[in-house]
Amino acid sequence: MENLSRRRALSLGVALGLVGVVDPLQQARASTGAGSGPEWVWDDAADPLMASMLDNGHVPAINSAWASWVNNNDPLPSGLPADFTAYLRQVDQLPGWADRTKLARAADFNRRRDTYLFMLYGLGSGIMSTVIPREAKSVYWSAGGADMRDRAAKTFTFGYDLSQLGAFRPTGQFVVTANKTRVVHAAVRHLLPQSPHWRAVADETVPISAADILVTFHSLGTYVHRKLLDWKIPYPAADQEAFLYSWQVAVHLLGVPDAHIPKTWAEAEKQSARVLTPILTPSTEGIALAEELLGLTAQIDLGVTRGFLNEFVRYVLSDEVGDWLGLKRDYAAAALVRTVWPAFILFREGLSPVMPGTFYMFDQFIRALAMLFLNKGGSGSTTPITIPTGNRAG
């Protein structure tokens, strides 16, 4: 089977946050030529499988059958096409090199730092994804772009399941979540090139290369790592190592070859500076997505204004990004964020005996932000991940 050197762009992004007659592989090779870097790596196992599942009309049955497949120790669902079941048997497991002690440490770290993770994943990484042009355009024109509440819920589920205390244990859900996400990526790679709207704005032939998944990893894991250090939150070396390790396993489960996954945070930050920072820029699609995402978040009625949201995004990303996205200034909210948030951190970490007067507002907002995207604000137990069968209409 040929190496499927055919896919470029989108990823989770939220994550955050998911996403003819001419074979995109042949078209990509003819137009640009193949290389050996991660931008020329896609998914040899999942891509041809999902092209077959879509072309032969099997996806609705798969979505129905795997709805009950949630926990890592759940048996593979019955009623699936034989070749789809065979694929799941191959990937439904941790890599042989996985160190369960490190994963347990990562899960405990995520539990202890969930306050900051929710804010940074939701209002940092989530909005950053809208100024990653390829990701924004692919998200917008894929089926998920037409229902951003549902899309945000599914993207948030990836990070939420990764952050759970038992994420990689048999009773956890992350291995299943990652495998479902990988399949969705493969489906989007097959579907999105059929969209004339996406083709009109895309600068690649097919989305979601291994390089694009790594870009999303940096907008999530590497970004959060740097913010925790910048905010001077207690973050010992063992926690740093474990946090990176959980993301290494996560990226592996999404189909990225191990050779391309950063081995250290120093390597990750160097790679991020090369592949993420230089590409950040606004797009028509990204501006629209940011407005939708912030509009969803603004539905949380805890006395938090849209101005507060705009200013928190500016605080965690930059005024430049805020200006790109047209986020209106609220200087009173800006002063509140920039003075109270550091005090909030100090009090939570036991580094200051003084509780900020707005502590309760911040604390409740963070928890409400988490629940908003989990199961569309419902039970929070799980958010169903379904495979798309088409793209966003015009």
Side-chain angles (χ1 to χ4, degrees), residues 117 120-121 125 220-229 243:
L117 297 181
L120 288 171
Y121 284 151
S125 302
L220 291 158
T222 307
Y223 164 75
V224 168
H225 168 73
R226 173 46 49 192
K227 279 296 182 184
L228 294 178
L229 292 174
F243 183 52

Side-chain angles (χ1 to χ4, degrees), residues 48-361:
L49 173 71
M50 290 315 301
S52 173
M53 295 296 103
L54 285 160
D55 290 345
N56 290 289
H58 295 310
V59 168
I62 293 173
N63 283 332
S64 177
W66 80 358
S68 61
W69 183 46
V70 175
N71 293 333
N72 297 335
N73 62 355
D74 286 344
L76 293 180
S78 59
L80 298 173
D83 45 354
F84 192 81
T85 298
Y87 162 79
L88 291 181
R89 286 200 182 101
Q90 292 179 333
V91 300
D92 187 31
Q93 57 191 321
L94 292 173
W97 48 263
D99 184 327
R100 294 181 184 274
T101 300
K102 288 183 180 179
L103 291 176
R105 173 82 185 220
D108 183 61
F109 163 77
N110 287 327
R111 176 188 60 81
R112 288 181 280 112
R113 294 289 176 253
D114 62 355
T115 295
Y116 313 117
L117 297 181
F118 283 143
M119 291 296 274
L120 288 171
Y121 284 151
L123 293 179
S125 302
I127 303 303
M128 189 194 301
S129 71
T130 69
V131 291
I132 300 173
R134 288 180 174 175
E135 182 163 351
K137 292 173 183 180
S138 295
V139 167
Y140 186 88
W141 289 113
S142 65
D147 184 350
M148 282 308 296
R149 178 183 282 265
D150 181 69
R151 176 60 180 255
K154 291 171 181 175
T155 302
F156 195 93
T157 290
F158 188 90
Y160 183 84
D161 288 352
L162 176 60
S163 300
Q164 288 301 286
L165 188 59
F168 295 96
R169 294 176 183 170
T171 54
Q173 299 181 357
F174 184 74
V175 176
V176 171
T177 295
N179 281 320
K180 288 185 176 182
T181 301
R182 181 177 177 180
V183 164
V184 170
H185 283 175
V188 171
R189 292 189 191 105
H190 184 64
L191 292 168
L192 208 48
Q194 301 173 36
S195 165
H197 308 290
W198 179 78
R199 292 200 306 269
V201 298
D203 66 350
E204 70 280 346
T205 305
V206 185
I208 324 182
S209 67
D212 299 316
I213 294 175
L214 287 169
V215 165
T216 299
F217 154 64
H218 292 307
S219 73
L220 291 158
T222 307
Y223 164 75
V224 168
H225 168 73
R226 173 46 49 192
K227 279 296 182 184
L228 294 178
L229 292 174
D230 290 347
W231 286 349
K232 296 180 171 52
I233 292 168
Y235 188 26
D239 281 352
Q240 295 185 41
E241 180 184 10
F243 183 52
L244 174 61
Y245 195 79
S246 67
W247 271 106
Q248 290 169 331
V249 174
V251 172
H252 169 93
L253 290 173
L254 290 178
V256 175
D258 294 344
H260 297 299
I261 302 174
K263 303 298 188 294
T264 65
W265 278 124
E267 184 180 331
E269 294 210 64
K270 183 177 179 180
Q271 188 181 78
S272 179
R274 186 176 70 252
V275 304
L276 173 62
T277 305
I279 68 172
L280 297 177
T281 195
S283 65
T284 300
E285 291 81 2
I287 292 170
L289 290 175
E291 185 61 30
E292 288 189 63
L293 288 170
L294 287 171
L296 289 175
T297 309
Q299 295 175 21
I300 302 173
D301 186 15
L302 291 170
V304 174
T305 66
R306 175 59 190 270
F308 171 88
L309 294 174
N310 288 353
E311 292 299 336
F312 202 92
V313 169
R314 287 176 175 272
Y315 178 66
V316 297
L317 291 181
S318 72
D319 281 331
E320 182 179 37
V321 171
D323 291 343
W324 285 346
L325 297 174
L327 303 183
K328 294 181 180 179
R329 297 306 309 258
D330 183 328
Y331 292 102
L336 175 69
V337 170
R338 284 165 167 72
T339 57
V340 176
W341 182 252
F344 174 85
I345 291 175
L346 288 173
F347 181 77
R348 281 194 63 93
E349 296 303 316
L351 301 175
S352 169
V354 180
M355 183 175 73
T358 52
F359 177 89
Y360 182 75
M361 182 199 77

